[in-house]
């Protein structure tokens, strides 16, 4: 396969087609700064976009490194084959009507397969995409406006929506955009392929992804692994949800997870930061461009306003950042810089006593961001006045003081504005030139700081590959509770002593053998509590017989009554076609869906991963001991989760979902009191 570097940084370009889109490609490429030859191709026109046109490929004066194919879908396939035959490095396939339109065009999939076959070893971007803008080399195989300008280094963004990418290029927040790439249908060249090629360019500092879906999980894992090897961070803005992951769900777990939980677990596993909005994506990329990733969410904040300090405190708590208390060293330095009138705290309101004194500002920020405080980031809040009405030389003193603080302490530093427009683009660019992160808008800034902590400086160690859901051969069925517990017991999960019964009389006999008190459950019912198919704490054979007679079931399961409960958990696994098997842990019992306190990881997960997920729950104190109550056996809970993983991995081709709810957690063990398995035979 041709290297993408030749396609991304071509010496010569051909543009095939003579319509308005192709005219725009030629003009955009020149406007972006491309100085090499551009060879438009059209059988009838003498020029396209101001460049002399050629009637066919055979007439070109050389072999192009990159092409933009802007003709109809059928001719696109033909031209891709011809370009490949002559040795072209890669082509943007602009036309739509391929696999993305299969519901409207029955031949869409077939035509896309023909395109890939025709392209052979030549790289194909798309089809159904705008292409690429490379601001490092002045290349714009792009049929529309873009807001990028030449840079020597910067971040790259890959997306599946060309219009979203156009809008991102129009940002005025100082983000140095080096390249944007529209992946389109990813018929041959995936987002992962594109990401690896971009990150291997030493001029690219970080990668942003706008993801609508992940079609090749191993390839995405390979992208994350290569990014970690290169020490370059990735941040993702993911949209969309997988209907397949939630289809035919009969467990609580499936309603709680679905593809969103799977995607979040995957990104977290791979050390890829995740953001919720396009503005957070831009702000996070700025942090990653300057710092490579933050070592912690512990920050220091300084402003000359008590109101701003309070907003930083409140909004920081929402975003998930921490403001560590000042150390004695910090207090000593701050008192020396600010005098006795200023209350010392983090966030710091340094008042306006030192405004206009660059040396005092530097001393203050340096004391606050002392390297011994082990901060992830030092923040100085400042909003520049409107540049169409005021000059602001005294505000530039703050910027210089922040840069000097970074040099003196080694702490990464940021300028944070209350409103996005508080740091105009020229100011943001100057800050970046000085090694300071310009963060536009306090809310987005704090969320971006928290996101950037998900990307460890230097990259993550490569985790084990995710267990892939293999294609089964039959229809899934819901196993009876007895069958489910037998399977769980076989991999080491503790289940209650039990017996099955066909009628009320044999249920009473089974209870007598097990020993009272017991639990009676009706078989064949997924959600027993809601259906009145479970009765607890039955103390005699007569009580069992009476309860069975009232129960809407034809057969029964009698179990020992588990007492001494510390907490009830749910442990569930769902099959997510896009992300693997999602293991969800959380508060269990009848309050599961009401409280919705869960955390998810992908299988295989380590014991540390599972422990971390449990600790992240809001209700984690119930497990560790709350207000003098005993704690649960955490090792037993983790053992149960590990055993559940074994069952999943042993049945990856057949399993659809598993749920233990509740897992009764006690001081000495953990018992699967109820279980559901949906699996093919």
């Amino acid at each position: 396969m041709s290297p993408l570097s030749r396609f991304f940084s071509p010496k010569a370009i051909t543009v095939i087609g003579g319509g308005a889109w192709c005219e725009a490609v030629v003009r955009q490429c020149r406007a972006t700064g491309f100085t090499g030859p551009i060879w438009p191709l059209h059988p009838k026109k003498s020029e396209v976009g101001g460049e002399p046109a050629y009637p066919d490929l055979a007439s070109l004066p050389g072999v192009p490194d990159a092409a933009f194919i802007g003709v109809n879908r059928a001719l696109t396939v033909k031209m891709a084959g011809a370009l490949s035959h002559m040795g072209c490095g890669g082509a943007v396939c602009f036309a739509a009507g391929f696999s993305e339109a299969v519901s409207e065009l029955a031949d869409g999939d077939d035509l896309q397969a023909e395109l890939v076959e025709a392209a052979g070893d030549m790289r194909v971007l798309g089809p159904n995409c705008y292409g690429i803008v490379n601001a490092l080399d002045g290349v714009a195989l792009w049929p529309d406006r873009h807001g990028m300008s030449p840079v020597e280094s910067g971040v790259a963004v890959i997306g599946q929506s060309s219009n979203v990418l156009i809008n991102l290029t129009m940002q005025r927040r100082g983000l140095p955009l080096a390249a944007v790439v529209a992946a389109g249908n990813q018929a041959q060249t995936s987002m992962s392929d594109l990401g690896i090629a971009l990150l291997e360019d030493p001029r690219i500092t970080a990668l942003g992804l706008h993801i609508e879906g992940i079609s090749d999980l191993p390839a995405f894992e390979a992208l994350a692994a290569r990014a970690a090897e290169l020490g370059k961070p990735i941040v993702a803005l993911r949209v969309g949800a997988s209907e397949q992951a939630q289809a035919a769900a009969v467990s609580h777990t499936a309603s709680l997870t679905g593809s969103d939980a799977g995607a979040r677990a995957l990104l977290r596993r791979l050390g890829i930061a995740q953001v919720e909005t396009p503005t957070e994506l831009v702000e996070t990329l700025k942090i990653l461009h300057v710092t490579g990733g933050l070592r912690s969410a512990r920050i220091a904040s300084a402003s000359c306003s008590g109101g701003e300090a309070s907003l930083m405190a409140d909004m920081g708590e929402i975003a998930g950042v921490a403001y560590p208390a000042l150390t004695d060293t910090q207090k000593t330095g701050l008192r020396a810089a600010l005098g006795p009138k200023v209350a010392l705290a983090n966030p710091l309101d340094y008042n306006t006593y030192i405004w206009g004194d660059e040396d005092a500002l530097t001393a203050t920020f340096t004391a606050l961001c002392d390297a011994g405080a082990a901060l992830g980031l030092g923040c100085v809040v400042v909003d520049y006045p409107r540049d169409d009405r005021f000059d602001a030389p005294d505000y530039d003193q703050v910027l210089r003081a922040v840069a000097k603080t970074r040099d003196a302490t080694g702490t990464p530093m940021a300028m944070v504005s209350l409103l996005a427009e508080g740091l105009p683009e020229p100011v943001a660019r100057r800050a970046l030139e000085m090694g300071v992160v310009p963060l536009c808008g306090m809310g987005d800034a704090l969320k971006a700081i928290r996101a950037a902590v998900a990307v460890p400086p230097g990259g993550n160690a490569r985790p084990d590959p995710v267990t892939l859901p293999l294609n089964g051969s039959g229809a899934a069925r819901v196993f009876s509770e007895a069958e489910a517990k037998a399977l769980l017991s076989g991999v080491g999960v503790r289940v209650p002593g039990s017996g099955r019964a066909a009628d009320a009389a044999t249920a009473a006999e089974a209870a007598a053998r097990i020993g009272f008190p017991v639990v009676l459950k009706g078989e064949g019912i997924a959600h027993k509590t809601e259906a009145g198919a479970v009765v607890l704490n039955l103390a005699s054979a007569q009580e069992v017989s009476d309860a069975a007679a009232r129960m809407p079931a034809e057969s029964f399961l009698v179990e020992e009554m588990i007492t001494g409960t510390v907490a009830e958990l749910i442990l569930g696994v769902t099959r997510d076609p896009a992300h693997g098997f999602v293991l969800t842990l959380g508060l269990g019992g009848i309050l599961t869906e009401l409280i919705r306190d869960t955390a998810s990881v992908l299988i295989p997960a380590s014991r540390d991963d599972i422990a971390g997920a449990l600790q992240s729950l809001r209700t984690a104190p119930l497990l560790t001991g709350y207000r003098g109550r005993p704690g649960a056996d955490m090792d037993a809970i983790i053992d149960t989760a590990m055993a559940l993983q074994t069952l999943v991995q042993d049945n990856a081709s057949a399993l659809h979902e598993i749920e233990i709810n509740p897992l009764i957690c006690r001081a000495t063990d953990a018992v699967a009191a109820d279980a559901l398995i949906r699996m093919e035979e």
Side-chain angles (χ1 to χ4, degrees):
M1 195 69 68
S2 297
L4 279 165
S5 56
R6 180 186 173 201
F7 176 44
F8 286 163
S9 304
K11 300 294 189 294
I13 291 169
T14 186
V15 179
I16 301 173
W21 294 111
C22 292
E23 292 262 359
V25 172
V26 175
R27 297 187 188 281
Q28 284 287 352
C29 212
R30 286 295 186 222
T32 303
F34 186 71
T35 58
I38 300 176
W39 302 321
L41 191 150
H42 195 274
K44 297 179 180 179
K45 292 187 175 182
S46 61
E47 65 89 22
V48 174
E51 298 285 339
Y54 296 83
D56 50 44
L57 289 175
S59 304
L60 297 184
V63 177
D65 298 297
F68 183 92
I69 306 176
V71 295
N72 67 58
R73 65 190 191 119
L75 189 53
T76 292
V77 175
K78 180 180 177 181
M79 297 309 302
L83 286 164
S84 177
H85 185 263
M86 73 183 300
C88 181
V92 174
C93 294
F94 178 57
F98 292 87
S99 63
E100 86 288 349
V102 69
S103 60
E104 295 83 19
L105 298 169
D107 65 344
D109 278 339
D110 292 339
L111 197 62
Q112 183 158 306
E114 291 175 24
L115 173 64
V116 173
E117 183 177 2
D121 288 338
M122 181 186 74
R123 287 290 186 176
V124 170
L125 189 58
N128 184 36
C129 77
Y130 268 27
I132 179 172
V133 182
N134 173 359
L136 298 165
D137 300 311
V139 178
L141 294 171
W142 192 263
D144 206 337
R145 294 179 177 87
H146 67 81
M148 297 169 65
S149 55
V151 295
E152 295 183 0
S153 69
V155 305
V157 179
I158 306 171
Q160 292 173 264
S161 167
S162 300
N163 206 54
V164 168
L165 291 174
I166 289 174
N167 295 336
L168 287 173
T169 71
M170 301 297 177
Q171 56 84 31
R172 300 181 184 183
R173 295 169 173 243
L175 177 67
L177 268 175
V180 296
V181 183
N185 291 6
Q186 304 179 72
Q188 178 218 64
T189 303
S190 69
M191 181 178 284
S192 301
D193 297 329
L194 297 166
I196 290 172
L198 289 167
L199 289 174
E200 287 178 343
D201 187 325
R203 299 169 295 177
I204 300 290
T205 56
L207 179 64
L209 302 175
H210 173 234
I211 304 172
E212 294 177 7
I214 297 171
S215 58
D216 188 337
L217 189 52
F220 197 76
E221 290 177 310
L223 167 62
R226 186 63 179 133
E229 291 169 0
L230 295 168
K232 294 186 178 182
I234 304 176
V235 56
L237 171 62
R238 184 194 168 275
V239 297
S242 168
E243 293 181 0
Q244 296 95 320
Q246 298 178 5
V250 297
S251 71
H252 294 282
T253 309
S255 67
L256 290 166
T257 58
S259 68
D260 185 61
R264 290 177 184 277
L266 177 66
L267 296 174
R268 186 168 56 249
R269 178 189 188 92
L270 297 179
I272 295 175
Q274 182 168 6
V275 293
E276 307 299 331
T277 67
T279 49
E280 290 173 33
L281 177 66
V282 170
E283 299 307 311
T284 305
L285 280 169
K286 283 190 283 186
I287 297 174
L288 299 180
H289 170 71
V290 174
T291 70
L294 301 179
R295 60 188 175 185
S296 80
R298 292 162 50 89
I299 67 174
S301 171
S303 68
C304 64
S305 160
E308 289 173 340
S310 297
L311 284 169
M312 282 290 282
D314 289 349
M315 297 170 75
E317 183 173 343
I318 294 169
V321 304
Y323 298 94
L326 298 177
T327 66
D328 290 342
T329 301
Q330 288 172 299
K331 290 178 180 178
T332 299
L334 288 170
R335 186 59 70 207
L338 294 171
K341 296 182 179 180
V342 175
L344 303 183
N346 183 24
L348 174 69
D349 167 19
Y350 61 83
N351 288 261
T352 54
Y353 299 118
I354 59 172
W355 187 260
D357 185 339
E358 189 171 324
D359 290 340
L361 289 166
T362 302
T364 297
F365 303 154
T366 299
L368 178 64
C369 299
D370 177 78
L375 298 170
L377 190 68
C379 299
V380 174
V381 181
V382 62
D383 282 63
Y384 274 61
R386 291 179 55 141
D387 56 6
D388 60 340
R389 298 183 183 179
F390 308 98
D391 293 325
D394 45 346
Y395 287 76
D396 289 337
Q397 291 179 325
V398 179
L399 174 55
R400 290 193 296 269
V402 172
K404 291 175 183 177
T405 296
R406 188 209 60 161
D407 294 340
T409 66
T411 299
M413 296 296 296
M415 297 267 283
V416 178
S417 62
L418 178 65
L419 300 178
E421 54 267 36
L423 286 180
E425 189 171 19
V427 175
R429 288 180 173 175
R430 287 205 307 274
L432 286 169
E433 290 170 0
M434 300 167 74
V436 173
V437 186
L439 295 176
C440 302
M442 192 178 287
D444 290 332
L446 289 163
K447 291 175 183 176
I449 291 167
R450 187 65 190 89
V453 178
V455 188
N460 267 344
R462 184 171 185 173
D464 292 335
V466 168
T467 300
L468 296 176
L470 305 176
N471 292 325
S473 57
R477 72 174 177 89
V478 177
F479 283 42
S480 71
E481 184 177 351
E483 291 175 305
K485 286 182 173 175
L487 285 171
L488 290 169
S489 179
V491 294
V493 174
R494 161 85 159 90
V495 298
S498 64
R500 300 182 69 187
D503 54 39
T506 52
E509 293 171 3
R513 289 195 303 272
I514 292 168
F516 297 102
V518 297
V519 178
L520 181 69
K521 299 177 179 179
E523 291 193 314
I525 299 171
H527 302 306
K528 295 179 177 60
T529 300
E530 292 91 327
V534 58
V535 181
L536 307 176
N537 208 30
L538 297 172
S540 69
Q542 187 62 51
E543 288 184 16
V544 172
S545 179
D546 292 345
R550 294 190 299 269
M551 194 169 286
E554 296 182 358
S555 60
F556 307 94
L557 183 66
V558 185
E559 293 184 333
E560 66 173 303
M561 179 74 188
I562 305 299
T563 58
T565 302
V566 172
E568 292 185 348
L569 293 182
I570 181 173
L571 271 66
V573 177
T574 51
R575 177 192 188 109
D576 185 333
H579 310 108
F581 287 101
V582 184
L583 169 62
T584 297
L585 309 98
L587 181 68
I590 62 174
L591 299 178
T592 295
E593 289 175 311
L594 178 64
I595 304 300
R596 302 184 75 86
D597 181 20
T598 61
S600 297
V601 296
L602 294 183
I603 293 175
S606 68
R607 294 183 70 88
D608 286 344
D609 292 335
I610 293 167
L614 292 168
Q615 290 164 6
S616 73
L617 300 174
R618 299 191 305 275
T619 48
L622 293 176
L623 299 173
T624 56
Y626 180 67
R627 291 194 172 183
R629 296 179 59 182
D633 186 338
M634 296 298 293
D635 284 335
I637 298 171
I638 296 172
D639 288 343
T640 303
M642 298 301 289
L644 200 58
Q645 290 191 94
T646 299
L647 183 59
V648 172
Q649 292 174 305
D650 289 347
N651 296 276
S653 63
L655 183 69
H656 286 241
E657 56 185 310
I658 301 177
E659 180 175 281
I660 299 172
N661 185 28
L663 177 72
I664 296 179
C665 306
R666 304 192 293 184
T668 56
D669 62 7
V671 185
D674 198 356
L676 178 152
I677 293 179
R678 189 162 66 93
M679 188 163 64
E680 299 168 25
E681 296 291 350

